Amino acid sequence: MNGSYAVPHPALTPSPIKKRKEDRIDRKGLRRHFISYLAAMPPLQFQLHASDKWSGARAGTIATDHGTIQTPVFMPVGTIGSVKSVTQQQLKQHVNAPIILGNTYHLYLRPGTVTMEAAGGLHRFMNWDRPMLTDSGGFQVFSLAANRKISEEGVVFQSHIDGSKHLFTPETVMDIQRVIGADIIMAFDECPPAQSEHKYALDSMNLTHRWLDRCFHRFNATPDRYSHTQNLFPIVQGAVHHDLRKASCQYISSKEAAGNAIGGLSVGEPEPVMYEICALCCDNLPQNKPRYLMGVGTPWNILECIALGIDMFDCVMPTRNGRNAMLFTTRGIINIDNKKWERDFSAIDAGLDNEWSQYYNKAYLRHLFKAGELLAFTIASVQNLSFYLWLVQQARAHIVAGDFRSWKETMIPVLKTRL
Amino acid sequence: MNGSYAVPHPALTPSPIKKRKEDRIDRKGLRRHFISYLAAMPPLQFQLHASDKWSGARAGTIATDHGTIQTPVFMPVGTIGSVKSVTQQQLKQHVNAPIILGNTYHLYLRPGTVTMEAAGGLHRFMNWDRPMLTDSGGFQVFSLAANRKISEEGVVFQSHIDGSKHLFTPETVMDIQRVIGADIIMAFDECPPAQSEHKYALDSMNLTHRWLDRCFHRFNATPDRYSHTQNLFPIVQGAVHHDLRKASCQYISSKEAAGNAIGGLSVGEPEPVMYEICALCCDNLPQNKPRYLMGVGTPWNILECIALGIDMFDCVMPTRNGRNAMLFTTRGIINIDNKKWERDFSAIDAGLDNEWSQYYNKAYLRHLFKAGELLAFTIASVQNLSFYLWLVQQARAHIVAGDFRSWKETMIPVLKTRL
């Protein structure tokens, strides 16, 4: 492939790292909870309610201690403990999000594990009583590129905030996610670039698998913290190499986790390649466990991947693009900055049966963007998230009704329309 | 006084201004509405329900076509058609604001009168169905200092957005406010600096009075636009000179307007002087009309001025200071940036019987400010506005109960406390 990596896979010993006092894990606390660990609560339950005859699409439910999630589902990203420019009330009332995401890397750096622990976990810290998922920080750490060093032990990286050095290992990442306390936590993986050549991707995958063993070892040796069950999802890697992806799926499946994730997609590879790898992974991951495709994607990506058998999605696109004046609607994509909306007083999205999408009009939203008003970000983000949640709910309804594939074929050109 | 103005009052002829096409007023539209003007709707009704025995404080109601406002009232400022970082739903549901403000200067420049007119006025543009007030742009224009020229005709000023030249006259300002369509609109005045010497302040006051005649003339010659009554409030000026303020009150009162405003305070004069002038104006303005003190102020300013007889307030302080991490609460002022709140998981304001103030905790809000999350601005702004509205509602309740003065004396030290 073009731009393939020729460098050998890094396996350096990390430079010694001083732990900041506030980053140390409260091991006494861990011991105190050991009794509750012995009487471990059951993991999340996944039930399949319907499968599409003409595709891999399926409708299910994931039951967690914070409530039930209907799948397929889209999970808004709340990086640092906040879905950007959206309130928790709006997420519940308008977006109707059954689950949100937090980022381990960001939460570890700020507010840090001591504050997180003192708060009683992220749920209580941000007052979110529905399910929550945290990623492992792997993706963020690897995005730091020049500012990190990978070794067998883990990754040494520099904080993007103050340049301080930190070490993430499978063990510390499990400990941190225990403290954050999400219902679903992710294994610490290496996410290689899409263009990685076979040797690099193989080494990287094997490292991810060894790290996975260490993740499960640590996860199983530590108790749930806040009276609810945490579930560890492993992540399939292998770049765009079919044999590696297949091997990774087999390894990941052998863990018999409550759910499985597919990482390392939507990181620069062409769309058809993403679908191809996604299909291969869905075929090689257990049917009776939820499948989570990390960091994907556009509305049409989501419908295509639902058709391949994906149950869970997350992406910053609805909020990030929203803050850049791009609206996703039931009739297509709107660049609300455009002059053409200057005196269009129609609802932002008349097709969305949602008070929010009817409340504000296009000309008003354009005006707010032009004037640099913060309310613009909120209106656009809530619209886009509402739309994404509507889309997966519609997908589910059509899977149950049995006409998912034809509905998807009708919808995709609409979703791609530039209004 | 120190820093008094020695320059003569400017009375220049304005340089000729080209009107942008979109800033021209739709005079055909005005004519079309002439019939409804002939059958003019009644102006707002002000009723006094209780007066405090021990001070000038009073409890009343202002009935407008968009609903009733209990006084004393605080009006959140929605400069460009949005109360910064707060949604219209939050203003209704959490802040409980019965009326909000818009700024003529800002709305004239962006989105402009043509869009405003096409939208059917600001109420419809921003979907706000409660009462609304627009200032006249006088204060903003005079804040431009070097970028404006005052003459008998009006003020030529340069846009802060693109440097383009514009002319505001009493007539154009009435026309613009007709198009914006607020329930209460303000006369075009000159707001001289607090330190203005007697001669400058006298000339300025006389100009404001001559402009007031022109405002009323234009106002009375033009119809209400959107099936609701607009009410023109004149503004008392005269800097800190007692004789001028008294004369201005007499002139303003002679207009028998539906309500009267006091301008030119809280512009740099010491607090005792502000109270002194405010008291003088309250004594010299009609008892049976609402009195609006423009642009004031801190929570204790508001209680003191309620005691003097003020019924209406507006100020950017709750939102602007909120965006700078300053919280106003029932227990005092919090700088939420401070380290001391890092692990304080108590509600933002336990004393405020408001879902919002209980929903988020102090440590979380501090974290959001530290992380630069936009949600911080929203949480702080809604808290501060909720508090301001709570404060005036409490004041009203104590006026009605007859113990306003003693309550105020207890409250003021609390309000000033730095937590």
Side-chain angles (χ1 to χ4, degrees), chain B residues 354-374:
Chain B
N354 175 332
E355 180 211 317
W356 189 269
S357 308
Q358 316 303 316
Y359 198 94
Y360 298 103
N361 66 67
K362 296 188 182 84
Y364 179 63
L365 180 54
R366 179 178 184 275
H367 161 65
L368 295 179
F369 269 107
K370 288 288 168 193
E373 284 290 319
L374 294 173

Side-chain angles (χ1 to χ4, degrees), chain A residues 80-82 84-90 92-93 110-111 114-115 118-119 124-127 342-343 345 355-356 359-361 363-364 367-368 370-371 373-375 377-378, chain B residues 80-82 84-90 92-93 110-111 114-115 118-119 124-127 342-343 345 355-356 359-361 363-364 367-368 370-371 373-375 377-378:
Chain A
I80 323 180
S82 161
K84 288 191 192 302
S85 79
V86 180
T87 70
Q88 278 72 306
Q89 293 99 323
Q90 285 160 348
K92 288 182 167 190
Q93 193 184 335
R110 207 164 38 188
V114 174
T115 296
R124 291 182 65 182
F125 186 54
M126 66 181 289
N127 199 0
E342 188 175 15
R343 285 176 199 139
F345 303 105
E355 180 211 317
W356 188 272
Y359 198 94
Y360 298 103
N361 66 68
Y364 179 63
H367 161 65
L368 295 179
K370 287 288 169 194
E373 285 291 318
L374 295 172
L375 182 55
F377 300 151
T378 301
Chain B
I80 324 180
S82 161
K84 290 191 190 304
S85 80
V86 180
T87 70
Q88 276 73 307
Q89 293 99 323
Q90 286 161 347
K92 287 183 168 189
Q93 194 182 335
R110 203 160 46 185
V114 174
T115 296
R124 291 183 65 181
F125 187 54
M126 67 183 285
N127 198 0
E342 188 175 15
R343 285 174 199 138
F345 303 106
E355 180 211 317
W356 189 269
Y359 198 94
Y360 298 103
N361 66 67
Y364 179 63
H367 161 65
L368 295 179
K370 288 288 168 193
E373 284 290 319
L374 294 173
L375 182 55
F377 300 151
T378 301

Side-chain angles (χ1 to χ4, degrees), chain B residues 66-101:
Chain B
H66 282 99
T68 293
I69 303 152
Q70 294 201 313
T71 61
V73 71
F74 179 83
M75 306 180 283
V77 179
T79 312
I80 324 180
S82 161
V83 175
K84 290 191 190 304
S85 80
V86 180
T87 70
Q88 276 73 307
Q89 293 99 323
Q90 286 161 347
L91 284 172
K92 287 183 168 189
Q93 194 182 335
H94 300 296
V95 174
N96 201 14
I99 174 169
I100 60 171
L101 241 77

Side-chain angles (χ1 to χ4, degrees), chain A residues 4-21:
Chain A
S4 65
Y5 267 47
V7 292
H9 189 267
L12 313 163
T13 335
S15 47
I17 299 296
K18 269 192 213 166
K19 274 194 184 177
R20 291 182 308 175
K21 195 179 166 200

Side-chain angles (χ1 to χ4, degrees), chain B residues 140-332:
Chain B
Q140 274 77 26
V141 164
F142 293 105
S143 307
L144 294 173
N147 294 319
R148 43 94 177 157
K149 276 189 188 176
I150 308 166
S151 69
E152 185 64 36
E153 188 189 5
V155 182
V156 175
F157 63 94
Q158 276 195 297
S159 158
H160 71 285
I161 302 167
D162 60 5
S164 57
K165 284 203 172 182
H166 302 265
L167 170 68
F168 268 8
T169 66
E171 291 77 17
T172 60
V173 164
M174 288 302 102
D175 292 350
I176 296 164
Q177 289 189 90
R178 281 297 198 191
V179 170
I180 297 172
D183 302 85
I184 300 172
I185 71 177
M186 302 304 299
F188 190 57
D189 61 336
E190 187 192 350
C191 178
Q195 312 90 324
S196 303
E197 65 164 21
H198 194 277
K199 172 75 173 86
Y200 186 99
L202 171 67
D203 289 347
S204 169
M205 181 193 80
N206 284 331
L207 181 68
T208 287
H209 292 175
R210 290 192 300 277
W211 282 359
L212 180 61
D213 293 347
R214 288 165 58 191
C215 282
F216 268 105
H217 188 260
R218 184 57 150 239
F219 179 74
N220 290 329
T222 50
D224 295 324
R225 298 302 273 284
Y226 311 111
S227 317
H228 62 266
T229 301
Q230 290 191 288
N231 301 274
L232 174 58
F233 281 22
I235 303 171
V236 174
Q237 288 291 354
V240 296
H241 306 286
H242 288 215
D243 59 329
L244 299 185
R245 284 286 178 176
K246 208 168 166 184
S248 190
C249 284
Q250 279 163 0
Y251 195 83
I252 262 63
S253 304
S254 73
K255 296 292 175 185
E256 298 186 351
N260 300 291
I262 304 166
L265 287 182
S266 200
V267 290
E269 76 286 3
E271 238 175 43
V273 174
M274 177 180 82
Y275 294 142
E276 193 184 293
I277 301 295
C278 181
L280 186 151
C281 292
C282 285
D283 287 348
N284 287 278
L285 285 171
Q287 288 294 312
N288 61 341
K289 302 289 175 64
R291 303 185 192 114
Y292 164 29
L293 178 58
M294 302 181 80
V296 175
T298 63
W300 50 95
N301 287 162
I302 285 178
L303 290 197
E304 294 292 12
C305 294
I306 287 173
L308 300 174
I310 297 294
D311 307 295
M312 303 166 72
F313 297 89
D314 81 284
C315 192
V316 294
M317 187 172 276
T319 39
R320 181 176 292 168
N321 292 24
R323 292 197 304 281
N324 286 307
M326 181 187 274
L327 303 183
F328 295 103
T329 80
T330 54
R331 286 163 194 188

Side-chain angles (χ1 to χ4, degrees), chain B residues 25-39 114 117-120 179 221-227:
Chain B
I25 303 302
D26 171 14
R27 297 191 192 286
K28 266 191 199 165
L30 289 184
R31 275 197 292 276
R32 276 200 305 275
H33 287 270
F34 201 66
I35 292 169
S36 67
Y37 161 62
L38 291 176
V114 174
E117 173 107 49
V179 170
T222 50
D224 295 324
R225 298 302 273 284
Y226 311 111
S227 317

